[in-house]
Amino acid sequence: MARIYLDNNATTRTAPEVADAISPYLGEIYGNPSSVHRMGARAASALKEAREKTAAFLKCRESEVVFTSGGTESNNMAIHGVLRAAPEKKHIVTSTVEHPSVLEVYKHLEGAGYRATYVGVDREGTLDLQALEDSISEDTALVSLMYANNETGVVFPVEDIVNIVEPRGVPLHVDAVQAAGKIPLDMSSSRIDLLSLSGHKLHAPKGVGVLFVRRGTRIRPLLIGGGQEKGRRSGTENIPFIVGFGKALELAAACPEVVQMRRLRDKLEETALSSISTAVRNGAAEHRLPNTSNLSFEGLEGEAILLMMDEAGICASSGSACSTGALEPSHVLSAMGVPASLARGSVRFSLSRYTTEAEIDAVINELPRIVKRLSALSNKTNPTAIRERHG
Ligand SMILES: Cc1ncc(COP(=O)(O)O)c(C=O)c1O
């Protein structure tokens, strides 16, 4: 059975053009770019070309591109790197809805003597800009905020954030892992200091990323060793995947499919909301990634919907995390003030440029049936809860 893949915020398929670009570097071109011989020179020139493509994508200097192993490393490098360069400052700012690769680092840092402010969001997932402004002090070493949320797709007003943070002289790191390829990024016109990207979110393989570090930003390396990446990230460069990432960014720069992606996302969302009475959207309608729809189905468990969709050949994701046996509602939806009963019934659909109209039509056809079956089951198995809910 051909599967319908609507979990592209988790990861994307490697583009065939990217796989083709990588292939020679898994074969005959295997030199180390630091070697002086011709094999090394070929690898070094591939590395340079990928850096040029990345710089063109971000509209930045080649020297401002640091290749990493992915979004998690880029985020860790940005946060730890900036703090190590300014050890006298002990206050750090982020939001309540960040990816764990930022939130968990902040929690860790709190244990190591830092004071952290977690700026909140409203019911739509929009950042409280006044609280951000009020949080910054002389002691603030870093503000780290995401461009777009991985669960809801809500896009933060990054230029408003820049206008608050930059005049106060505090470095600003932006986690653009979900935004890249869906929203134009222009480091020549923005004053963002550090920006994280991840290959596998935009049709390159897993295990490659980028940290943009604006010239003049004070940062210490996380990985120390042979001094690669101008001493900012030691370790022999992952040439095949870096080449693949360069290719993926070149393909994403054109972004012609974003309009189609938005149209299909809207079709899926509008039909689900109008045909399923218990469905509600999580997150602002307007300021949102064009590929993401996070819907809650009142009274149902997101996991149950996912399992039935999986049986029907549809891959999506839920906002609840099952780590201790109990289904915990997502920290993002909780921070938005979504009631637990709704948050537990959330499902995230995330499209890619490969998503077709026929696939969306199939989901539109299947979803109401699944919700109806599960509602009937939950009516049977949990009559008290249902009675309470509906009076
Ligand atoms: C917003 C955001 N930041 C960071 C990451 C981590 O990226 P990676 O999987 O490349 O470590 C993710 C991955 O889901 C993400 O969605």
Side-chain angles (χ1 to χ4, degrees):
M1 174 174 56
R3 302 201 66 84
I4 299 173
Y5 187 78
L6 298 183
D7 199 12
N8 288 282
N9 287 9
T11 197
T12 58
R13 75 173 271 202
T14 300
E17 300 91 330
V18 169
D20 287 348
I22 289 172
S23 177
Y25 296 91
L26 295 174
E28 71 275 19
I29 315 177
Y30 56 84
N32 184 326
S34 299
S35 300
V36 291
H37 49 67
R38 282 160 209 221
M39 291 281 278
R42 282 187 83 182
S45 108
L47 178 59
K48 176 157 173 35
E49 201 181 310
R51 201 182 302 283
E52 281 164 10
K53 287 179 179 166
T54 309
F57 180 83
L58 289 174
K59 300 192 176 54
C60 69
R61 298 178 181 88
E62 285 167 46
S63 59
E64 293 173 322
V65 172
V66 181
F67 287 111
T68 68
S69 68
T72 300
E73 185 188 325
S74 295
N75 287 346
N76 271 263
M77 177 178 167
I79 299 166
H80 287 298
V82 166
L83 297 188
R84 282 180 196 173
E88 67 289 355
K89 300 204 173 186
K90 292 290 177 206
H91 175 234
I92 48 181
V93 179
T94 188
S95 85
T96 49
V97 295
E98 299 296 309
H99 187 266
S101 56
V102 169
L103 273 185
E104 293 301 318
V105 177
Y106 268 56
K107 284 188 198 148
H108 169 84
L109 286 163
E110 279 187 285
Y114 281 87
R115 194 167 53 82
T117 302
Y118 300 89
V119 178
V121 297
D122 66 12
R123 188 68 170 75
E124 300 256 271
T126 311
L127 191 73
D128 184 343
L129 290 176
Q130 188 58 54
L132 171 66
E133 191 166 347
D134 295 344
S135 74
I136 299 171
S137 71
E138 286 288 300
D139 193 35
T140 307
L142 176 72
V143 174
S144 178
L145 290 166
M146 64 197 335
Y147 212 122
N149 189 275
N150 44 305
E151 292 189 25
T152 59
V154 171
V155 173
F156 278 171
V158 169
E159 286 316 303
D160 293 343
I161 292 170
V162 170
N163 289 336
I164 291 170
V165 178
E166 201 245 17
R168 289 166 172 80
V170 177
L172 173 64
H173 165 244
V174 174
D175 173 357
V177 163
Q178 293 291 346
K182 300 165 201 154
I183 294 176
L185 300 171
D186 182 348
M187 294 304 104
S188 71
S189 67
S190 177
R191 291 296 307 163
I192 293 168
D193 298 297
L194 305 117
L195 185 103
S196 300
L197 305 181
S198 171
H200 74 108
K201 308 290 184 181
L202 68 163
H203 305 292
K206 294 146 194 71
V208 65
V210 157
L211 181 66
F212 157 80
V213 183
R214 184 175 299 286
R215 189 158 74 180
T217 306
R218 290 176 62 211
I219 183 162
R220 290 272 166 80
L222 204 58
L223 299 185
I224 296 166
Q228 288 88 346
E229 296 296 279
K230 295 195 191 307
R232 292 169 297 185
R233 200 271 186 187
S234 286
T236 303
E237 300 87 343
N238 180 353
I239 298 298
F241 284 13
I242 289 173
V243 166
F245 198 10
K247 184 70 192 174
L249 290 173
E250 190 179 60
L251 296 172
C255 258
E257 300 90 350
V258 167
V259 175
Q260 160 86 343
M261 218 150 63
R262 185 188 303 274
R263 189 180 68 76
L264 292 179
R265 189 276 311 269
D266 288 347
K267 181 177 182 182
L268 168 62
E269 184 170 286
E270 280 158 21
T271 318
L273 290 174
S274 62
S275 64
I276 304 168
S277 61
T278 54
V280 289
R281 186 189 53 245
N282 295 312
E286 269 299 302
H287 301 290
R288 207 160 38 128
L289 293 175
N291 79 320
T292 308
S293 176
N294 187 315
L295 300 177
S296 275
F297 301 90
E298 165 97 76
L300 299 183
E301 297 288 348
E303 298 281 311
I305 301 173
L306 286 190
L307 290 175
M308 286 190 66
M309 285 205 297
D310 190 38
E311 265 176 37
I314 304 162
C315 305
S317 191
S318 89
S320 39
C322 183
S323 50
T324 52
L327 288 177
E328 293 291 332
S330 106
H331 75 281
V332 174
L333 299 184
S334 300
M336 287 162 63
V338 176
S341 65
L342 267 182
R344 263 191 237 107
S346 79
V347 175
R348 177 188 70 187
F349 300 94
S350 48
L351 288 65
S352 82
R353 62 170 178 259
Y354 298 112
T355 307
T356 65
E357 183 118 31
E359 289 177 325
I360 293 300
D361 288 343
V363 177
I364 286 171
N365 192 33
E366 204 59 52
L367 189 59
R369 282 209 284 243
I370 290 174
V371 171
K372 206 168 161 192
R373 270 176 66 194
L374 284 172
S375 302
L377 271 176
S378 105
N379 278 345
K380 257 190 223 147
T381 52
N382 196 359
T384 328
I386 299 291
R387 240 179 278 123
E388 269 169 16
R389 240 193 331 273
H390 296 288

